């Protein structure tokens, strides 16, 4: 089949006719048609964009059946050549498992993995493919995110897989955005939550109760983000462990006292309090583990930790020195009330005059609250009392250092994909792209892969994504790495995905719209092989742009006989530092 015949086939015939015709070709012969299929599909998408948003008339040679074109892409292109989770490619009139069963491609496992990376909600489709023996279960975290996107239930086509492996990975895969156990259960309602569902499975013996209790503590030790970690602590509490089950996990609760997530520390302290009520905690283990809780920023946690120490000292008099020594560390607490309780305990234990305790208290004297220092100093010989008020530090003005090489430009943009809320990093990354983007072409594969993953997640999240700039940043990276059109890369994010989904908006007068316009302008220079400065890149950590620097950048454009982008120029004027603005008359002299 030559290119002309292939184009005629995919633009005039139905999906079933296209599938039948391509199934008669070998995989090797189909692969030769991949560039044409992708080119036609890209042209189709651009035409649809022009019709919807620019009011243009559709070309007469557009494909009559869009699903036929999607089948052509699935039959010819490898997973790395397109977005496997793109709803415009996946057919609805023919079950996907039937399409792949007919084509029998050699790369099905790679397709399944790429599909859930692009769109975790395709997990049901993956189960259907696995059930037909067409692929294996993907090992990526995105596969588990697919469960978080659906209702709590055992998948009909993957019951054994779910109970043996998948459900236990719930305690390993954190998720993010709306794809996490915490987000799912927050909005779905108690009666259909994953937490209740798993608890019921443990009650009827389907899932091992002890393993669930341990797995929830394993998850808390992974230091997930506070919102998502909260699901695992609430789940553990909802499992209602018995006193024996709590006692058997004493070391686990003690280990969690060092968690950087404050609610996790509070969770562990409450279980240790239950143990204290029913016989106590090993005093040696308590003393060696409790210091992080004593210094917790949550006053309630620090106070509870002091109570546990006080109870342990009463129950184990031989340990009062060790208890007093660790209690002193609470003097670093931000709350004067906690500092006072810690010193109360040291005094009650009659350890204030101990030389080692004295030395530790002296170390903390300057860190203590001013209202508390006099009381603390009274216990120390020759201890100066600090009476002056604490001064608030003055922010230090720092220059924003621009990217200096093509390698650093790629590294900076990769960092931006992970921290797209960092304003200074955003500006450095875009400026680096403008200056070194054309020279960085051989280094861009990792950027394309990560940007594609984040864009796919952002498309589904819409306005609920962790940053409104995440999608245009990812689209900018993809257009840079693929040498493609920025508008084409961001267009999928502007379409509703499902009922109730709110896609991204790019009103030209909005912040996102201005950002997108500037990105498109800079990409045009990069794709023309030019190196230019970004006019609006800030020069200091206030976000201001020094007028002198703007003049230098404008002169660079003049020397190259180039006209800066309008959005970039407007943003540069809005960012001008208030000092030395009069120097701008040089621009118009």
């Amino acid at each position: 089949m030559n290119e002309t015949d292939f184009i005629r086939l995919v633009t005039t015939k139905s999906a079933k006719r296209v599938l039948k015709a391509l199934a008669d070709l070998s995989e090797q012969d189909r692969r030769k048609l991949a560039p044409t299929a992708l080119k036609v599909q890209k042209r189709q998408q651009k035409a649809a964009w022009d019709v919807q948003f620019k009011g243009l008339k559709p070309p007469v040679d557009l494909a009559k059946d869009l699903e036929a074109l999607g089948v052509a892409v699935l039959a010819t292109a490898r997973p790395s050549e397109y977005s496997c989770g793109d709803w415009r490619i996946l057919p609805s009139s023919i079950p996907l498992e039937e399409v792949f069963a007919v084509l029998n491609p050699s790369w099905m496992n790679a397709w399944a993995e790429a599909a859930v990376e692009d769109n975790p909600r395709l997990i049901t489709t993956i189960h259907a493919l696995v059930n037909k023996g067409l692929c294996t279960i993907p090992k990526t975290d995105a596969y588990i995110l697919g469960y978080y996107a659906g209702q709590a239930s055992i998948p009909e086509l993957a019951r054994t897989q779910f109970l043996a492996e998948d459900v236990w990975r719930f305690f390993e895969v954190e998720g993010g955005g709306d794809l996490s156990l915490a987000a799912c259960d927050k909005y779905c309602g108690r009666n259909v939550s994953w937490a209740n569902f798993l608890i019921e499975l443990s009650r009827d013996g389907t899932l091992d109760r002890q393993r669930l209790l341990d797995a929830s503590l394993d998850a808390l030790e992974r230091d997930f983000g506070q919102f998502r970690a909260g699901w695992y602590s609430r789940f553990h509490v909802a499992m209602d462990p018995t006193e024996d089950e709590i006692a058997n996990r004493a070391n686990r609760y003690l280990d969690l006292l060092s968690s950087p997530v404050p609610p996790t520390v509070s969770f562990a302290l409450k279980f240790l309090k239950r143990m204290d009520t029913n016989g106590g905690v090993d005093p040696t283990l308590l003393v060696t583990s409790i210091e992080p809780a004593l210094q917790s920023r949550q006053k309630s946690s620090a106070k509870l930790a002091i109570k546990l120490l006080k109870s342990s000292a009463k129950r184990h008099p031989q340990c009062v020195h060790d208890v007093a020594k660790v209690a002193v560390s609470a003097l670093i607490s931000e709350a004067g009330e906690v500092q006072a309780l810690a010193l109360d305990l040291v005094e009650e234990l009659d350890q204030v005059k101990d030389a080692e305790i004295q030395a530790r208290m002296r170390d903390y004297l300057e860190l203590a609250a001013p209202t508390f220092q006099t009381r603390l100093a009274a216990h120390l010989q020759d201890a100066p009392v600090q009476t002056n008020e604490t001064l608030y530090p003055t922010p230090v003005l720092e220059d924003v250092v621009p990217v200096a090489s093509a390698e650093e430009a790629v590294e900076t943009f990769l960092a931006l994909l992970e921290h797209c809320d960092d304003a200074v990093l955003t500006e450095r990354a875009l400026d680096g792209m403008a200056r070194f983007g054309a020279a960085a072409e051989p280094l861009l594969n990792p950027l394309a892969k990560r940007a594609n993953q984040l864009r796919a997640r952002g498309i589904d999240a819409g306005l609920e994504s962790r940053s409104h700039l995440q999608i245009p940043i990812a689209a900018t990276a993809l257009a840079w790495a693929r040498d493609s059109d920025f508008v084409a890369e961001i267009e999928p994010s502007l379409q509703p995905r499902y009922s109730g989904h709110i896609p991204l908006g790019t009103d030209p007068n909005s912040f996102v719209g201005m950002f997108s316009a500037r990105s498109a302008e800079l990409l045009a220079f990069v794709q023309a092989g030019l190196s230019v400065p970004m006019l609006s890149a800030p020069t200091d950590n206030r976000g201001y742009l020094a007028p002198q620097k703007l003049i230098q950048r404008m002169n660079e454009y003049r020397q190259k006989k180039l006209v800066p982008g309008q959005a970039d120029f407007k943003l540069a004027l809005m960012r001008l530092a208030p000092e030395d603005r009069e120097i701008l008359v040089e621009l118009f002299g």
Side-chain angles (χ1 to χ4, degrees), residues 270-282:
K270 289 174 182 177
F271 276 97
L272 292 170
K273 178 62 176 176
R274 283 182 60 179
M275 288 186 61
D276 182 68
T277 304
N278 292 278
V281 186
D282 183 292

Side-chain angles (χ1 to χ4, degrees), residues 406 409 431-442 444 480 526-527 530-531:
D431 181 52
M433 179 189 74
R435 294 176 183 275
F436 300 102
E441 182 178 354
L444 297 176
W480 177 19
V526 172
Q527 292 170 348
L530 300 171
S531 172

Side-chain angles (χ1 to χ4, degrees), residues 84 96-97 100 108-117 119-138 143 157-158:
C84 297
L96 194 59
E97 59 268 27
F100 283 130
M108 275 308 304
N109 286 341
W111 188 92
E113 183 171 318
V116 292
E117 285 286 351
N119 183 2
R121 290 176 172 83
L122 288 175
I123 186 173
T124 303
T125 299
I126 300 304
H127 287 156
L129 294 173
V130 173
N131 192 53
K132 292 287 187 180
L134 297 172
C135 67
T136 58
I137 293 291
Y143 166 73
L157 298 178

Side-chain angles (χ1 to χ4, degrees), residues 392-406:
Y392 291 100
T394 302
V396 178
L397 185 66
E398 297 178 351
D399 292 336
V400 174
V401 181
V403 167
S405 67

